[in-house]
Amino acid sequence: SQTIHQWPATLVQPVGSPLSLECTVEGTSNPNLYWYRQAAGRGLQLLFYSVGIGQISSEVPQNLSASRPQDRQFILSSKKLLLSDSGFYLCAWSNRGQGLYNEQFFGPGTRLTVL
Amino acid sequence: GEDVEQSLFLSVREGDSSVINCTYTDSSSTYLYWYKQEPGAGLQLLTYIFSNMDMKQDQRLTVLLNKKDKHLSLRIADTQTGDSAIYFCARGGGATNKLIFGTGTLLAVQP
């Protein structure tokens, strides 16, 4: 069966510090991968998605970047965190080749607080 | 306005039915989805409906789709305290690999 891991679960960082959040998927190959941010426990904002190694699409201009160094690894980074980067970060994956059906499977999330 | 909209909050009593509504503007999606998010956790798919269907029932869940009005609803029968969560509707992004999520509805079930 497939599983998705995110770490750390919680993180408190000072403004201006770097960030690295990691997401890995097990039990599948060639997944589509996604990073979302959920601010104040509400709506989801898609930040990045990837259809393959080294292929990253950015949805919104921001202080963050994403990389996919391996097929099942997706990393969210920042060189200098802002207060507005605080939120709940969710990683998700979906299968390719399912036509227009795109069920996404979510990780447990990382709670980031920037002070 | 937002592409996919939901009311922010719904409060019901245990044992009553809950109806969570969702409207969308882009009718090109083939599938529409309902996700559930429990406090501090990721989202889980509850159910989905194919766009050429009007209704889908799955145990306590009933999904209704009105394509003319671009309206999707999720009915939870015999709502339990364990159903308290945020519910998101989402539509497929057409030819892309993306899902477009609604703003989420917080369902509070009172004992």
Side-chain angles (χ1 to χ4, degrees), chain A residues 34 38 41-42 59 100 102 104, chain B residues 30 33 35 37 86 97 104:
Chain A
Y34 309 84
Q38 187 177 30
R42 298 318 305 270
E59 289 297 296
L100 296 175
N102 189 27
Q104 291 184 11
Chain B
T30 304
Y33 309 81
Y35 280 82
Q37 184 184 30
I86 300 176
N97 299 295

Side-chain angles (χ1 to χ4, degrees), chain A residues 32 34 49 51 94-96 99 102 104, chain B residues 93-99:
Chain A
N32 293 327
Y34 309 84
Y49 74 95
V51 299
S94 67
N95 282 309
R96 274 188 258 170
N102 189 27
Q104 291 184 11
Chain B
T96 72
N97 299 295
K98 297 183 288 186
L99 289 180

